[in-house]
Amino acid sequence: MYLPAFVDQATPLTQQREASLASAPRHKAQVICGCLEVGTRDVETWIRTGCDTAEKLCRLSGAASHCGSCMQALTNLVGDPGGAPCRFEVEQLGQRLLRVTVRPEGGGAFVEQHLPGQHAVLSVRDAQGWVSRPYTITSEPEQRDARVFLVRPRSGGRMVGALLAAEGACDARLGAPRGDAFTRLRSAREVVFVVAGVGMTPALAALAARHGPDVRCVEAYVRASDDRVERLLVEACAARGVPLHVHHTQSESVGADEVTTTEAATALSSALVSQEAFADLARAHPDADFFLCGPRGFERLVRRGLAAGGCLSRCIHAERFLVAADGSAAPPARERSDGARRWSRVGLWLAALWCIWAILPAVPAWNALQSVYAWRVTTGALVLAVLAWQWMFPLARARGRFALAKKLELPHRAVGALSPVVLLLHHRGLGHGLLSVLSLLWIANTVIGCLDKTVVADADKRDRYMRAWLPTHVIVSIMVTALAAWHVFMILTYRGGPA
């Protein structure tokens, strides 16, 4: 088992953390977060070897870097969120919004400067223990003595209750800035925000940054009664000279945690906006990156409209509302990224085309090319290189190097999707005997890889799917590797025999 480098010796668990581990749900095979899946057994091992705060677990595993929704689950396991001691002030902006200003304990400045669009995890101790929630930082990055968050109160929400009850006179911690909301966006390209309700926080973060993205306009959908929300946007856009178009709606769906596409369409209709308006927006800004933030149904409608206007999917970025998990529920399951979705389609199409090509009549010119020794050696080496590369991702996961595994995940998908082309270059047909088994398993494994866990949206169903999918994918991968090694052995033994 891989152990973190900073651990010198095992440290005993406190009774509180032992109790947390004992009460952790055992029907869950994994602790799921927005970035990766961390085995429960791995988490227990890390805790017993000195990772005594959720912040340390996050730094080690890469968890909470995407959305932070898993932070409460990790805090419950460890019993301590980590982070720097701080104090906070709460200002109520009407009934639907709180402004929380956090300052370092004892004054001074925060060590790390955040990037526009990043979030930080705020933890407050209440009667039940520590409650941790991620919030987008809306203050300007150059302001180091305080960080400002906008919090939308939820009925019965534990964090809001703790903030209002404490009035700053309780233990509080603030984690380091996390996420990469705007680092993906190219500073040379213009940015357009389309936000709903409290989804305005990324726009406020970008507008507050002196060296942030080149914001060209903001399209905001707010309830008619949320005048304080609108005022914040108006002031921020005016300070930067950015055009703001506010669309009022009477629907309560705007700003909710979960909204269906139908509810979102109703909300837009009440704001006198149709899907065609988003197509017009895309045509008006053909070279822009669009950043969406709002409920899921709202995001789907905006995506459709932008696509109808010619906007490419790679130019559409989104930040979703996620309700942080408590101790009794798994954090929201990660959705497929645009890149993962795109490569899965490519892999399935190439696998289908390989099957069609394999059963078509032989092409003499193609067979002649594949009979050339230099061609067979070159393409065979390419096949082995693909196999070796594909094992890098699972080996990184097995060794506990989750930050590296996160970087390798999309390349792993891309190479897997293109693998039918590599197989076709080396060998056109099914072959005979074990060679036919190797070819079929290769293509089958491509299909299995494309239908990974992210095709299942529900966290509980995904967990059951993973228990069947992962062993199947690993076993087939081992069989493909073993048969490929056998094939190379036979070729080397018989000096260019049957290929």
Side-chain angles (χ1 to χ4, degrees):
M1 175 62 66
Y2 171 78
L3 298 179
F6 59 82
V7 175
D8 296 323
Q9 59 183 1
T11 56
L13 284 172
T14 64
Q15 291 184 351
Q16 178 185 3
R17 284 187 289 147
E18 287 283 11
S20 298
L21 286 175
S23 61
R26 280 299 183 267
H27 66 281
K28 293 290 184 186
Q30 301 179 328
V31 177
I32 305 174
C33 78
C35 317
L36 72 164
E37 288 75 31
V38 182
T40 304
R41 189 173 300 173
D42 294 337
V43 173
E44 293 177 357
T45 301
W46 291 334
I47 292 174
R48 288 190 169 90
T49 53
C51 265
D52 54 357
T53 69
E55 187 77 14
K56 289 181 180 179
L57 280 178
C58 292
R59 285 201 301 268
L60 177 66
S61 66
S65 61
H66 182 68
C67 64
S69 62
C70 56
M71 195 67 181
Q72 184 65 57
L74 296 179
T75 298
N76 290 344
L77 279 175
V78 182
D80 187 339
C86 63
R87 53 190 175 84
F88 60 88
E89 303 164 3
V90 180
E91 179 186 359
Q92 192 143 5
L93 306 178
Q95 295 183 347
R96 300 181 183 275
L97 200 65
L98 301 177
R99 177 158 48 198
V100 181
T101 304
V102 181
R103 304 181 189 278
E105 183 69 38
F110 290 106
V111 176
E112 297 177 300
Q113 178 175 317
H114 70 273
L115 296 172
Q118 285 191 307
H119 68 265
V121 174
L122 177 63
S123 302
V124 178
R125 190 197 293 270
D126 64 4
Q128 304 174 51
W130 286 100
V131 51
S132 301
R133 297 289 186 266
Y135 298 112
T136 301
I137 305 171
T138 58
S139 52
E140 60 185 63
E142 293 78 13
Q143 184 182 0
R144 304 288 289 274
D145 62 334
R147 286 188 172 138
V148 179
F149 307 103
L150 294 179
V151 180
R152 180 170 56 84
R154 297 181 64 242
S155 178
R158 183 180 166 194
M159 172 58 89
V160 173
L163 290 174
L164 295 178
E167 296 181 354
C170 70
D171 290 339
R173 309 269 185 87
L174 185 65
R178 297 180 178 275
D180 58 353
F182 294 112
T183 58
R184 298 190 308 269
L185 302 183
R186 290 155 283 186
S187 58
R189 290 172 60 89
E190 62 184 60
V191 175
V192 176
F193 282 93
V194 185
V195 300
V198 79
M200 67 176 179
T201 50
L204 290 175
L207 293 167
R210 300 172 193 170
H211 306 289
D214 181 16
V215 182
R216 289 304 177 91
C217 75
V218 177
E219 299 284 332
Y221 297 83
V222 298
R223 298 183 183 96
S225 57
D226 284 347
D227 56 327
R228 298 298 295 270
V229 173
E230 182 179 341
R231 190 182 310 169
L232 290 173
L233 271 177
V234 170
E235 293 172 354
C237 288
R240 285 281 300 272
V242 173
L244 169 65
H245 305 112
V246 178
H247 307 273
H248 294 110
T249 174
Q250 301 297 330
S251 173
E252 294 296 315
S253 298
V254 172
D257 295 321
E258 290 292 337
V259 173
T260 65
T261 305
T262 302
E263 290 172 335
T266 302
L268 293 180
S269 298
S270 69
L272 301 179
V273 177
S274 66
Q275 190 169 304
E276 182 61 26
F278 300 119
D280 293 337
L281 185 64
R283 298 185 191 104
H285 301 275
D287 299 322
D289 280 313
F290 290 84
F291 201 89
L292 321 180
C293 189
R296 192 169 304 175
F298 171 81
E299 180 199 325
R300 290 194 191 104
L301 280 180
V302 178
R303 281 184 180 274
R304 292 175 190 172
L306 294 177
C311 185
L312 301 177
S313 60
R314 68 170 179 267
C315 298
I316 304 175
H317 312 268
E319 179 176 278
R320 294 189 180 93
F321 293 152
L322 289 175
V323 180
D326 56 24
S328 61
R334 181 188 59 177
E335 290 191 356
R336 275 194 166 183
S337 65
D338 291 337
R341 190 180 300 110
R342 188 160 50 244
W343 283 116
S344 292
R345 290 198 198 103
V346 170
L348 293 174
W349 274 109
L350 289 179
L353 291 175
W354 184 93
C355 294
I356 295 173
W357 181 254
I359 62 176
L360 288 176
V363 179
W366 189 261
N367 289 344
L369 178 63
Q370 292 190 326
S371 298
V372 176
Y373 181 77
W375 178 269
R376 289 190 301 171
V377 171
T378 302
T379 56
L382 182 60
V383 169
L384 295 178
V386 167
L387 280 175
W389 168 260
Q390 290 300 81
W391 279 106
M392 296 293 290
F393 173 68
L395 288 176
R397 291 288 304 273
R399 294 186 60 192
R401 302 180 65 181
F402 293 105
L404 174 62
K406 181 185 175 184
K407 296 179 181 178
L408 292 176
E409 183 176 6
L410 189 59
H412 178 80
R413 291 176 181 273
V415 173
L418 296 174
S419 62
V421 176
V422 177
L423 180 62
L424 181 62
L425 290 174
H426 183 64
H427 184 66
R428 176 185 182 276
L430 288 174
H432 304 281
L434 288 179
L435 283 182
S436 62
V437 176
L438 172 58
S439 299
L440 291 173
L441 285 177
W442 184 289
I443 297 301
N445 208 30
T446 299
V447 175
I448 293 171
C450 292
L451 302 177
D452 73 332
K453 58 188 176 295
T454 56
V455 301
V456 181
D458 182 81
D460 291 329
K461 293 179 180 178
R462 175 178 293 188
D463 184 67
R464 293 193 294 269
Y465 181 79
M466 272 289 292
R467 295 182 187 184
W469 177 86
L470 185 59
T472 303
H473 190 39
V474 172
I475 291 172
V476 175
S477 299
I478 292 173
M479 293 174 64
V480 168
T481 305
L483 288 174
W486 167 83
H487 179 59
V488 172
F489 172 77
M490 295 296 291
I491 293 296
L492 294 177
T493 302
Y494 292 98
R495 297 182 181 276

Short mmCIF file of all heavy atoms in Angstrom, two decimals, residues 93-118:
data_model
loop_
_atom_site.label_atom_id
_atom_site.label_comp_id
_atom_site.label_asym_id
_atom_site.label_seq_id
_atom_site.Cartn_x
_atom_site.Cartn_y
_atom_site.Cartn_z
N LEU A 93 -28.59 39.56 3.01
CA LEU A 93 -29.06 40.35 1.87
C LEU A 93 -30.45 39.87 1.49
O LEU A 93 -30.63 39.09 0.55
CB LEU A 93 -28.10 40.20 0.68
CG LEU A 93 -26.62 40.51 0.96
CD1 LEU A 93 -25.80 40.28 -0.29
CD2 LEU A 93 -26.46 41.93 1.45
N GLY A 94 -31.43 40.25 2.24
CA GLY A 94 -32.77 39.74 2.01
C GLY A 94 -32.91 38.34 2.56
O GLY A 94 -32.07 37.83 3.30
N GLN A 95 -34.01 37.67 2.18
CA GLN A 95 -34.26 36.33 2.70
C GLN A 95 -33.57 35.25 1.89
O GLN A 95 -33.49 34.10 2.33
CB GLN A 95 -35.78 36.06 2.69
CG GLN A 95 -36.57 36.96 3.63
CD GLN A 95 -38.04 36.61 3.63
OE1 GLN A 95 -38.52 35.88 2.77
NE2 GLN A 95 -38.76 37.14 4.61
N ARG A 96 -33.08 35.57 0.73
CA ARG A 96 -32.56 34.55 -0.17
C ARG A 96 -31.04 34.54 -0.31
O ARG A 96 -30.50 33.76 -1.07
CB ARG A 96 -33.17 34.71 -1.57
CG ARG A 96 -34.68 34.60 -1.60
CD ARG A 96 -35.19 34.74 -3.02
NE ARG A 96 -36.64 34.70 -3.09
CZ ARG A 96 -37.35 33.59 -3.15
NH1 ARG A 96 -36.74 32.42 -3.15
NH2 ARG A 96 -38.66 33.64 -3.21
N LEU A 97 -30.33 35.41 0.41
CA LEU A 97 -28.90 35.50 0.18
C LEU A 97 -28.19 36.00 1.43
O LEU A 97 -28.67 36.90 2.13
CB LEU A 97 -28.61 36.46 -0.99
CG LEU A 97 -27.25 36.34 -1.67
CD1 LEU A 97 -27.12 34.97 -2.34
CD2 LEU A 97 -27.07 37.44 -2.70
N LEU A 98 -27.04 35.38 1.71
CA LEU A 98 -26.15 35.82 2.79
C LEU A 98 -24.79 36.16 2.19
O LEU A 98 -24.32 35.48 1.28
CB LEU A 98 -25.97 34.72 3.84
CG LEU A 98 -27.21 34.18 4.55
CD1 LEU A 98 -26.80 33.05 5.49
CD2 LEU A 98 -27.92 35.29 5.31
N ARG A 99 -24.19 37.21 2.71
CA ARG A 99 -22.82 37.51 2.34
C ARG A 99 -21.94 37.22 3.55
O ARG A 99 -22.11 37.82 4.62
CB ARG A 99 -22.66 38.97 1.91
CG ARG A 99 -21.20 39.32 1.58
CD ARG A 99 -21.07 40.52 0.68
NE ARG A 99 -21.88 41.63 1.12
CZ ARG A 99 -22.20 42.66 0.32
NH1 ARG A 99 -21.77 42.67 -0.94
NH2 ARG A 99 -22.94 43.66 0.77
N VAL A 100 -21.02 36.28 3.38
CA VAL A 100 -20.15 35.84 4.47
C VAL A 100 -18.73 36.34 4.18
O VAL A 100 -18.15 35.98 3.16
CB VAL A 100 -20.15 34.31 4.63
CG1 VAL A 100 -19.26 33.89 5.79
CG2 VAL A 100 -21.58 33.81 4.85
N THR A 101 -18.21 37.17 5.06
CA THR A 101 -16.84 37.68 4.93
C THR A 101 -15.95 36.96 5.93
O THR A 101 -16.21 36.99 7.14
CB THR A 101 -16.80 39.20 5.19
OG1 THR A 101 -17.71 39.85 4.29
CG2 THR A 101 -15.40 39.73 4.97
N VAL A 102 -14.92 36.30 5.43
CA VAL A 102 -14.04 35.49 6.27
C VAL A 102 -12.66 36.14 6.33
O VAL A 102 -12.10 36.54 5.29
CB VAL A 102 -13.91 34.06 5.71
CG1 VAL A 102 -13.01 33.21 6.60
CG2 VAL A 102 -15.28 33.42 5.58
N ARG A 103 -12.13 36.27 7.54
CA ARG A 103 -10.81 36.86 7.74
C ARG A 103 -9.93 35.91 8.55
O ARG A 103 -10.44 35.12 9.37
CB ARG A 103 -10.93 38.20 8.47
CG ARG A 103 -11.84 39.20 7.78
CD ARG A 103 -11.90 40.52 8.53
NE ARG A 103 -12.93 41.39 7.97
CZ ARG A 103 -12.76 42.16 6.89
NH1 ARG A 103 -11.57 42.17 6.29
NH2 ARG A 103 -13.74 42.92 6.44
N PRO A 104 -8.62 35.97 8.37
CA PRO A 104 -7.72 35.11 9.16
C PRO A 104 -7.84 35.40 10.65
O PRO A 104 -8.02 36.56 11.05
CB PRO A 104 -6.33 35.46 8.63
CG PRO A 104 -6.56 36.09 7.30
CD PRO A 104 -7.89 36.79 7.40
N GLU A 105 -7.75 34.38 11.46
CA GLU A 105 -7.79 34.54 12.90
C GLU A 105 -6.58 35.38 13.35
O GLU A 105 -5.44 35.09 12.97
CB GLU A 105 -7.75 33.18 13.60
CG GLU A 105 -7.85 33.23 15.10
CD GLU A 105 -9.24 33.67 15.57
OE1 GLU A 105 -10.23 33.26 14.93
OE2 GLU A 105 -9.31 34.42 16.56
N GLY A 106 -6.84 36.42 14.11
CA GLY A 106 -5.76 37.26 14.58
C GLY A 106 -5.29 38.29 13.58
O GLY A 106 -4.25 38.93 13.78
N GLY A 107 -6.01 38.47 12.48
CA GLY A 107 -5.63 39.46 11.48
C GLY A 107 -4.63 38.90 10.49
O GLY A 107 -4.45 37.69 10.36
N GLY A 108 -3.97 39.79 9.79
CA GLY A 108 -3.01 39.36 8.79
C GLY A 108 -3.67 39.09 7.45
O GLY A 108 -4.75 39.60 7.15
N ALA A 109 -3.03 38.24 6.64
CA ALA A 109 -3.52 37.95 5.29
C ALA A 109 -3.46 36.46 5.02
O ALA A 109 -2.69 35.73 5.66
CB ALA A 109 -2.68 38.71 4.25
N PHE A 110 -4.27 36.01 4.10
CA PHE A 110 -4.23 34.61 3.69
C PHE A 110 -2.95 34.36 2.90
O PHE A 110 -2.49 35.22 2.13
CB PHE A 110 -5.44 34.26 2.83
CG PHE A 110 -6.73 34.23 3.60
CD1 PHE A 110 -7.66 35.24 3.47
CD2 PHE A 110 -7.00 33.18 4.46
CE1 PHE A 110 -8.85 35.22 4.17
CE2 PHE A 110 -8.19 33.14 5.18
CZ PHE A 110 -9.11 34.17 5.04
N VAL A 111 -2.37 33.20 3.08
CA VAL A 111 -1.09 32.88 2.45
C VAL A 111 -1.24 32.74 0.95
O VAL A 111 -0.46 33.31 0.17
CB VAL A 111 -0.50 31.59 3.05
CG1 VAL A 111 0.78 31.21 2.33
CG2 VAL A 111 -0.25 31.76 4.54
N GLU A 112 -2.26 32.00 0.51
CA GLU A 112 -2.42 31.70 -0.91
C GLU A 112 -3.38 32.67 -1.57
O GLU A 112 -4.45 32.97 -1.03
CB GLU A 112 -2.92 30.27 -1.10
CG GLU A 112 -1.94 29.22 -0.60
CD GLU A 112 -2.51 27.82 -0.75
OE1 GLU A 112 -3.58 27.55 -0.14
OE2 GLU A 112 -1.91 27.00 -1.45
N GLN A 113 -3.01 33.15 -2.75
CA GLN A 113 -3.92 33.97 -3.54
C GLN A 113 -4.75 33.07 -4.42
O GLN A 113 -4.23 32.18 -5.08
CB GLN A 113 -3.13 34.97 -4.40
CG GLN A 113 -4.01 35.84 -5.28
CD GLN A 113 -3.21 36.90 -6.02
OE1 GLN A 113 -2.34 37.53 -5.45
NE2 GLN A 113 -3.52 37.08 -7.30
N HIS A 114 -6.07 33.30 -4.44
CA HIS A 114 -6.93 32.43 -5.23
C HIS A 114 -7.02 32.92 -6.68
O HIS A 114 -6.70 34.06 -6.99
CB HIS A 114 -8.33 32.36 -4.61
CG HIS A 114 -9.11 33.62 -4.73
ND1 HIS A 114 -9.03 34.66 -3.81
CD2 HIS A 114 -10.00 34.05 -5.67
CE1 HIS A 114 -9.83 35.63 -4.15
NE2 HIS A 114 -10.44 35.31 -5.29
N LEU A 115 -7.44 32.03 -7.55
CA LEU A 115 -7.70 32.36 -8.94
C LEU A 115 -9.17 32.67 -9.12
O LEU A 115 -10.01 32.14 -8.38
CB LEU A 115 -7.29 31.21 -9.86
CG LEU A 115 -5.81 30.85 -9.88
CD1 LEU A 115 -5.61 29.56 -10.69
CD2 LEU A 115 -4.98 31.97 -10.45
N PRO A 116 -9.54 33.50 -10.09
CA PRO A 116 -10.97 33.77 -10.32
C PRO A 116 -11.73 32.48 -10.59
O PRO A 116 -11.32 31.66 -11.42
CB PRO A 116 -10.95 34.68 -11.55
CG PRO A 116 -9.60 35.28 -11.57
CD PRO A 116 -8.68 34.25 -11.01
N GLY A 117 -12.83 32.30 -9.88
CA GLY A 117 -13.67 31.12 -10.08
C GLY A 117 -13.36 29.96 -9.16
O GLY A 117 -14.10 28.98 -9.13
N GLN A 118 -12.28 30.05 -8.38
CA GLN A 118 -11.97 28.96 -7.46
C GLN A 118 -12.92 28.99 -6.26
O GLN A 118 -13.55 30.00 -5.97
CB GLN A 118 -10.53 29.06 -6.97
CG GLN A 118 -9.50 28.63 -8.00
CD GLN A 118 -8.12 28.49 -7.40
OE1 GLN A 118 -7.61 29.41 -6.76
NE2 GLN A 118 -7.50 27.34 -7.59
#
